[in-house]
Amino acid sequence: MKAFGRSLCTAFMCLLSLFLLRELPAKAYDQAFVQIPVYCLGITEGGDQIYQLQIQPQDQLSPVPVPDALQLSEDSSGYFGITVDQPGTYSYRVWQTAGSDPDTEYDTRIFSVKVYVENTQGEELVYAVTAALEGSDEKPERLEFRNIALSESETTTTTAVTTTVTETSTSTTTEETTTRAVTTTTQAVTTKKPETIIEKVGAVLTGDNMPLALLSAIIGASAVLAVGSALLKRKDDDE
């Protein structure tokens, strides 16, 4: 009977010890503020696109980030903040909520994030953040989202219209008229009326239009005639 009582007392003390140990508060550490950085790449020249990012704990032990949603403009960065006070491993999922712009292809990748918190010899908490793509073995160096601006050819159905153009070649014949200048040389011909005997004798006597040789011949002939006439007249006087 005494042995049973001692066994019962021992069992009670063990249960009490377990209960007390459970209720004892964990060792207090200085709180550490954990940053999970995210990056949004540029997609347009104007830079007016907005990324809407979400984060969610994967278990009840992981503290809820504050804030749990971010709106970032393209070509910018931000972070989700978590406050921890105990060493451990905390798990999260980070993704983008797609917008409604029909000209944008939204990044639908989901990142699985692990936050590793450890205490140092100085009882301070330090952390490290790692990321992996869900459904892939890829482990990117950072949480980076990239949307794509669709070109017109991808968003608009283009109907090709074939237009047949008939070209009519008009051959214009240019007739070149060559005008030949014919120079007609007009020579002035002076026509003289036939001279009368009196005019000819006058011309001879005056010497107009009379060659020198002809004039000498006429003078010689006249002298012969004169001599002959004188001789005839003398012969008649002698008879």
Side-chain angles (χ1 to χ4, degrees), residues 180-186:
R180 294 182 180 180
V182 179
T183 304
T184 304
T185 303
T186 305

Side-chain angles (χ1 to χ4, degrees), residues 115-130:
V115 179
Y116 299 95
V117 180
E118 297 178 351
N119 62 313
T120 64
Q121 293 181 354
E123 301 300 324
E124 293 181 356
L125 297 178
V126 294
Y127 70 90
V129 178
T130 64

Side-chain angles (χ1 to χ4, degrees), residues 184-198:
T184 304
T185 303
T186 305
Q187 294 181 351
V189 179
T190 304
T191 304
K192 293 183 178 181
K193 295 180 180 180
E195 294 181 352
T196 60
I197 297 175
I198 296 174

Side-chain angles (χ1 to χ4, degrees), residues 1 3-4 7 40 43 46-47 51-52 57 73 84 89 94 101 104 123 138 148 156 159 162 169 175 191 201 226 239:
M1 188 68 179
F4 176 75
S7 298
C40 300
I43 60 174
Y51 289 78
Q52 300 182 35
S73 60
V84 294
T89 300
V94 179
D101 187 357
T104 301
E123 301 300 324
E138 182 181 352
I148 300 174
T156 305
T159 303
T162 303
S169 299
E175 295 182 358
T191 304
V201 173
E239 291 179 357

Side-chain angles (χ1 to χ4, degrees), residues 137-172:
D137 295 332
E138 182 181 352
K139 294 183 178 180
E141 294 182 356
R142 64 181 189 174
L143 279 71
E144 184 177 89
F145 292 89
R146 180 194 297 273
N147 293 340
I148 300 174
L150 301 178
S151 62
E152 266 186 45
S153 60
E154 294 175 319
T155 58
T156 305
T157 302
T158 305
T159 303
V161 179
T162 303
T163 304
T164 303
V165 179
T166 303
E167 296 183 357
T168 304
S169 299
T170 304
S171 215
T172 305

Side-chain angles (χ1 to χ4, degrees), residues 54-81:
Q54 299 283 138
I55 188 171
Q56 183 182 56
Q58 295 196 43
D59 54 56
Q60 294 182 352
L61 296 178
S62 300
V64 177
V66 178
D68 61 353
L70 291 175
Q71 285 191 351
L72 300 176
S73 60
E74 61 178 286
D75 198 20
S76 66
S77 62
Y79 63 86
F80 294 104

